Amino acid sequence: MGEIRYQPEEGFTLKDIQALLFEHQNLVLSAEALRKVDQSYTFLKDFATDKVIYGINTGFGPMAQYRIDDASLKQLQYNIIRSHSTGAGAPLPILYVKASMIARLATFLQGYSGVHTELVELVVEFINRGIYPFIPEHGSVGASGDLVQLAHMALALIGEGEVFYKGRLCGAAEALKEEKLEPFAIHIREGLSVTNGTSVMTGIGLVNLIHAKQLLDWSMIASVMMNEIASSYDDHLSVELNAVKRHHGQQQVAETMRRWIAGSRAVRKRENDLFRKQTTQTLAHKVQPYYSLRCVPQILGPVWDALAGAEKVLINELNSVCDNPIVDAETENVYHGGNFHGDYVAFEMDKLKIAVTKLTMLAERQLNYLLHDRINGILPPFVNLGVLGLNYGLQASQFTATSTTAECQTLSNPMYVHSIPNNNDNQDIVSMGTNAALMAKTVIENSYQVMSIHFMALVQAVDCLNIRHQLSGKTHAVYDEIRAFFPKFVDDTPKYKAIEQMKNYLINHPKL
């Protein structure tokens, strides 16, 4: 097993996050990283004496006007953890919990939180040993950060919550004991520091981004296969056509599709068929295919750009300080503000889910082209390779794809502008960033289901036309991989397990 060594001057990259989440590499902290954390803690320990500092010797939120006596300062920190562990709904899947722990750790490693090094070392142990706090999905309004969800994380760190450990849900104390780890004990302000920040929405957002980027790759691959099946003219992917539209994403999509279609004998050259004298009034082959085939660079280009923008924002957020107040040992001051506000993540999650929904709509329209014999003119209805009327091919699978796409469209309404004041109006404008991230997560999961049905239809269409040997080398390889677990079918069989199997293939076999 490899390792990712965190260096403060470099921070985390998306590649680091992918390695930690999907390659199960261990996280190791450099001595410099721990030194920065300790420097902030040591400064705060001395500085906090005889001063009023929010969340150290005051109440929280609208109760900040109440001074807390010295004898109760540690109890204050435990109280915020226990009182805010009020989440509801389904537990956040462990992949997203792990990403959230990494994001929380990243804030502490900036050295502006005033937390003890014991805390960061325990979070690293949780990440490396597969101890995942039970965190309900619902509870955050995304300003003052993810207070409720992060309180559940903190509850596990102090040994009082629940965790998913070795495939089961158990008490955190039990998992800590088995791993010979001690629960974290409060020093100064760790209760507030763990609970106060954007780390859950950022963690969910990072997983969303990784999955969405992979969906975009599969959408481009599917679109290449679509044009091979339709025997399209290939000039809509040309350098010359796409270069005169000055959008980076469009040009990148076209370039990617050109690489994937290279060597294909299934597509046509316009100059060979049409740029010569014609003797017939009616052309047998479409001069231009439908938009869902011809306009893919223009449709997926904005998706490419949106994901690039989301990556920049999420990596910036990941490597930022998102709690309050900020403990700055360099200037020897403590600054109060609102770095816990999740608007950056909320806005990007709304944009990301809109982009993925449009990608899903493209897949649904391409699927409809394959299944609609009067539109494609070359395939039987529903790519039915059996007896028409007796067998049904993918007719019913289209119902699933259509209804799931419709749900994505409804979920694409933005959360970013749905602020509701709460907390005695202390939190009078909030981001709803975690809700936005969770809705984007659902849209992405839906999109994988639609894309799975789409690829089932694609390989059936290739077999129906017997063109597998005319495909490009790259698309032929995908065809072979899919047919290895999803054989050509003629007779009607239940398809729900095949859809799940295809979804797992698309998620676990990145191609670009």
Side-chain angles (χ1 to χ4, degrees):
M1 182 182 290
E3 65 181 35
I4 298 296
R5 179 170 290 274
Y6 178 85
Q7 300 287 355
E9 64 274 13
E10 298 171 4
F12 285 112
T13 66
L14 188 62
K15 185 177 179 181
D16 293 334
I17 301 303
Q18 288 178 288
L20 291 168
L21 293 180
F22 298 99
E23 299 169 22
H24 308 294
Q25 295 197 24
N26 277 337
L27 177 59
V28 178
L29 303 182
S30 67
E32 174 60 17
L34 290 171
R35 186 197 68 77
K36 286 191 69 175
V37 173
D38 185 62
Q39 181 184 32
S40 178
Y41 169 79
T42 302
F43 161 71
L44 181 62
K45 185 178 179 181
D46 295 334
F47 184 83
T49 306
D50 298 327
K51 297 181 180 68
V52 176
I53 301 176
Y54 172 75
I56 292 178
N57 49 23
T58 75
F60 302 112
M63 290 188 283
Q65 302 310 112
Y66 296 96
R67 180 78 162 79
I68 309 301
D69 63 79
D70 290 348
S72 301
L73 295 185
K74 289 190 178 181
Q75 187 63 47
L76 174 71
Q77 300 299 315
Y78 284 108
N79 285 353
I80 192 172
I81 295 172
R82 293 164 180 156
S83 68
H84 283 63
S85 295
T86 58
L92 191 64
I94 60 174
L95 179 66
Y96 301 85
V97 173
K98 186 174 184 179
S100 300
M101 285 195 291
I102 295 168
R104 193 77 222 124
L105 178 67
T107 274
F108 298 151
L109 294 177
Q110 306 308 308
Y112 291 92
S113 297
V115 300
H116 198 280
T117 53
E118 290 174 1
L119 175 61
V120 299
E121 289 170 334
L122 185 58
V123 174
V124 169
E125 295 295 346
F126 269 52
I127 292 167
N128 289 342
R129 301 192 193 201
I131 306 172
Y132 306 110
F134 169 82
I135 300 177
E137 287 189 343
H138 292 158
S140 175
V141 297
S144 219
D146 299 309
L147 286 170
V148 169
Q149 283 96 336
L150 286 172
H152 283 271
M153 185 185 296
L155 199 65
L157 290 166
I158 63 173
E160 295 184 12
E162 293 178 291
V163 297
F164 290 99
Y165 174 66
K166 293 185 176 180
R168 71 186 195 278
L169 182 65
C170 65
E174 178 186 342
L176 287 165
K177 183 178 180 180
E178 188 168 333
E179 290 289 338
K180 296 181 172 56
L181 296 170
E182 291 295 322
F184 179 74
I186 296 295
H187 289 264
I188 301 176
R189 60 160 296 202
E190 288 85 4
L192 177 61
S193 293
V194 178
T195 58
N196 192 210
T198 62
S199 302
V200 173
M201 68 179 83
T202 301
I204 298 169
L206 287 164
V207 178
N208 286 347
L209 174 65
I210 292 166
H211 283 161
K213 285 167 71 80
Q214 201 157 306
L215 268 173
L216 176 58
D217 293 345
W218 282 117
S219 184
M220 290 186 286
I221 294 166
S223 297
V224 169
M225 294 182 75
M226 283 294 301
N227 279 283
E228 290 184 298
I229 288 165
S231 191
S232 299
Y233 294 107
D234 67 356
D235 54 341
H236 66 283
L237 299 177
S238 65
V239 174
E240 294 79 6
L241 182 137
N242 289 282
V244 296
K245 193 74 175 285
R246 299 189 180 188
H247 294 297
H248 180 71
Q250 176 178 333
Q251 294 173 12
Q252 289 297 312
V253 170
E255 179 186 344
T256 302
M257 292 180 67
R258 284 195 301 272
R259 283 193 285 107
W260 271 78
I261 212 166
S264 175
R265 293 182 291 114
V267 291
R268 300 184 179 217
K269 298 292 183 184
R270 191 174 298 273
E271 55 269 28
N272 294 342
D273 291 0
L274 299 180
F275 290 177
R276 57 185 177 79
K277 187 175 180 179
Q278 300 294 322
T279 58
T280 59
Q281 290 298 109
T282 304
L283 301 171
H285 192 75
K286 286 183 73 69
V287 174
Q288 296 189 125
Y290 286 95
Y291 285 12
S292 61
L293 281 69
R294 177 172 25 127
C295 300
V296 174
Q298 293 81 2
I299 295 168
L300 293 183
V303 177
W304 182 297
D305 287 335
L307 298 188
E311 180 174 345
K312 180 179 179 181
V313 169
L314 286 169
I315 295 302
N316 281 343
E317 188 73 24
L318 174 67
N319 292 303
S320 294
V321 183
C322 64
D323 52 4
N324 178 60
I326 300 303
V327 180
D328 191 339
E330 295 295 330
T331 63
E332 298 185 345
N333 208 340
V334 174
Y335 301 94
H336 294 65
N339 280 358
F340 49 65
H341 213 281
D343 267 37
Y344 271 105
V345 178
F347 200 16
E348 291 307 315
M349 288 299 98
D350 278 351
K351 288 189 283 186
L352 183 142
K353 72 182 179 183
I354 291 169
V356 173
T357 292
K358 190 59 179 280
L359 179 155
T360 310
M361 291 165 61
L362 176 65
E364 188 276 333
R365 286 294 83 199
Q366 291 178 348
L367 175 65
N368 185 68
Y369 179 95
L370 292 174
L371 302 186
H372 201 317
D373 58 303
R374 292 192 299 279
I375 289 178
N376 63 62
I378 55 173
L379 296 166
F382 310 109
V383 285
N384 181 358
L385 304 187
V387 178
L388 298 184
L390 177 64
N391 298 114
Y392 291 90
L394 291 170
Q395 175 178 313
S397 297
Q398 187 179 21
F399 300 151
T400 302
T402 302
S403 65
T404 306
T405 301
E407 183 176 274
C408 290
Q409 290 171 315
T410 296
L411 289 173
S412 290
N413 288 313
M415 284 300 305
Y416 178 66
V417 294
H418 280 198
S419 176
I420 301 175
N422 70 122
N423 195 228
N424 280 13
D425 276 0
N426 171 53
Q427 298 183 13
D428 57 349
I429 183 165
V430 297
S431 75
M432 297 297 180
T434 308
N435 283 352
L438 288 168
M439 290 171 71
K441 170 179 170 288
T442 300
V443 166
I444 290 165
E445 290 168 348
N446 287 354
S447 186
Y448 270 105
Q449 294 169 18
V450 176
M451 195 67 71
S452 297
I453 295 167
H454 187 21
F455 269 96
M456 291 164 66
L458 284 165
V459 292
Q460 284 292 103
V462 168
D463 281 336
C464 179
L465 298 174
N466 195 25
I467 61 168
R468 63 189 183 280
H469 295 302
Q470 298 174 42
L471 300 176
S472 77
K474 290 180 179 293
T475 54
H476 195 169
V478 169
Y479 166 88
D480 286 342
E481 287 180 6
I482 291 173
R483 278 310 193 204
F485 67 86
F486 178 64
K488 172 183 174 182
F489 71 92
V490 175
D491 295 330
D492 294 326
T493 57
K495 292 292 182 291
Y496 66 97
K497 290 185 179 179
I499 294 170
E500 182 68 17
Q501 196 172 12
M502 185 72 77
K503 185 193 77 173
N504 291 334
Y505 165 75
L506 297 178
I507 290 174
N508 296 317
H509 291 80
K511 289 298 171 192
L512 300 180

